[in-house]
């Protein structure tokens, strides 16, 4: 079965801690994206990558970092600099940049 | 400022009662309008992509249409399993800027049996 997987489903962060959210796809898609979803707001773009070893900041990149060392993987690190990290994080991929995006199941991040 | 507005915010229908959801946009240089369905606690599920005014697409009880300023998602004879939040997103010509999708806040649809 081809698809996008995100792990963990729930993640708890302590003050001052960095945490990493996993996103893996076996769709052979070149482009991958990270969005954040907050109640009552639309999804907002954090980072995106059009190709391996390249990524671009989205609208709300401050406090986040990413890497794209493999085509299948696009992990997101929420750093201690992100002061309001509680949200639902969604990873997406598309066969190429500008094509239709398909989403993973999401990771809910909570702060202890 | 580019913007995507969905209305209504919430809609409650009886099973079989047809209706439409609206997505209006004020972006310049539209490069695609996308409809997604999202169930609680899950990722959005892709429904349709529309590229040009006058285009229509259908899937089961859903039909999406596009004009130069808005899109409609028509739901015909809905069933309780159609209950979900429906998201609209647009991609505009970015000219080299951040190039993801701009999402509306969604319409929360409830179909009562």
């Amino acid at each position: 079965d081809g698809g996008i997987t995100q792990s963990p489903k729930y993640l708890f962060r302590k003050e001052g801690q960095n945490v990493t959210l996993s996103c893996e796809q076996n769709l052979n898609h070149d482009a991958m994206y990270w969005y954040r979803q907050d109640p009552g707001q639309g999804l907002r773009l954090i980072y995106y990558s059009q190709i391996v070893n390249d990524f671009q900041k989205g609208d709300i990149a401050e406090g986040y970092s990413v890497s794209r060392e493999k085509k299948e993987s696009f992990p997101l690190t929420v750093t201690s600099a992100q002061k309001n990290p509680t949200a639902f994080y969604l990873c997406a991929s598309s066969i190429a940049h500008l094509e239709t995006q398909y989403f993973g199941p999401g990771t809910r991040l909570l702060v202890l | 400022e580019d913007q995507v507005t969905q209305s209504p915010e919430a809609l409650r229908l009886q099973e079989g009662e047809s209706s439409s959801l609206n997505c209006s946009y004020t972006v310049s240089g539209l490069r695609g309008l996308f409809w997604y369905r999202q169930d609680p606690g899950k990722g959005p599920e892709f429904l349709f992509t529309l590229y040009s005014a006058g285009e229509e697409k259908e899937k089961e009880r859903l039909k999406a249409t596009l004009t130069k300023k808005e899109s409609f998602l028509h739901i015909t004879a809905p069933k309780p399993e159609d209950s979900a939040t429906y998201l609209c997103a647009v991609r505009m010509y970015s000219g080299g800027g951040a190039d993801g999708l701009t999402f509306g806040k969604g319409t929360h649809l409830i179909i009562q049996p």
Side-chain angles (χ1 to χ4, degrees):
Chain A
D1 267 351
I4 303 171
T5 57
Q6 292 187 241
S7 62
K9 186 172 182 179
Y10 296 95
L11 186 58
F12 298 91
R13 193 190 92 162
K14 296 180 181 178
E15 290 285 338
Q17 185 181 41
N18 293 353
V19 293
T20 297
L21 285 62
S22 169
C23 177
E24 304 276 334
Q25 54 95 2
N26 61 3
L27 300 168
N28 200 32
H29 284 178
D30 281 327
M32 297 186 74
Y33 308 82
W34 275 104
Y35 291 89
R36 169 181 172 141
Q37 186 173 37
D38 295 281
Q41 295 194 40
L43 277 70
R44 291 180 291 169
L45 181 66
I46 304 173
Y47 268 98
Y48 69 102
S49 168
Q50 298 184 42
I51 199 167
V52 175
N53 292 322
D54 181 66
F55 50 82
Q56 306 293 330
K57 291 183 179 179
D59 300 316
I60 55 165
E62 185 175 351
Y64 301 96
S65 66
V66 293
S67 62
R68 186 84 188 278
E69 298 177 359
K70 297 188 300 182
K71 186 175 185 177
E72 302 79 16
S73 179
F74 191 41
L76 174 74
T77 297
V78 184
T79 74
S80 57
Q82 173 51 244
K83 298 306 180 187
N84 185 24
T86 298
F88 190 46
Y89 289 86
L90 289 159
C91 177
S93 71
S94 60
I95 192 164
H97 193 45
L98 305 183
E99 297 296 330
T100 298
Q101 294 180 20
Y102 298 88
F103 285 82
T107 292
R108 188 165 299 280
L109 176 61
L110 301 167
V111 177
L112 294 176
Chain B
E1 182 180 331
D2 293 337
Q3 186 172 311
V4 179
T5 304
Q6 291 189 247
S7 61
E9 290 185 12
L11 181 61
R12 188 183 298 266
L13 300 172
Q14 293 294 318
E15 183 173 2
E17 180 184 0
S18 302
S19 188
S20 297
L21 312 183
N22 178 263
C23 173
S24 63
Y25 58 92
T26 56
V27 300
S28 54
L30 182 73
R31 298 185 72 175
L33 186 141
F34 304 81
W35 282 99
Y36 290 86
R37 168 193 171 128
Q38 187 175 26
D39 292 303
K42 297 188 177 181
E45 174 190 344
F46 170 71
L47 294 173
F48 303 110
T49 305
L50 301 167
Y51 289 104
S52 56
E55 190 174 359
E56 298 183 353
K57 289 192 176 174
E58 288 189 65
K59 179 181 179 180
E60 296 181 354
R61 295 177 292 281
L62 300 176
K63 182 168 93 171
T65 62
L66 180 65
T67 72
K68 288 186 177 179
K69 293 186 177 181
E70 59 190 349
S71 176
F72 291 94
L73 184 64
H74 307 279
I75 301 178
T76 301
K79 299 181 178 181
E81 53 262 43
D82 295 322
S83 298
T85 296
Y86 289 85
L87 303 176
C88 171
V90 300
R91 182 190 300 286
M92 72 291 286
Y93 177 71
S94 66
D99 206 3
L101 298 174
T102 299
F103 280 83
K105 296 180 180 180
T107 293
H108 182 49
L109 178 65
I110 297 173
I111 308 299
Q112 294 180 310

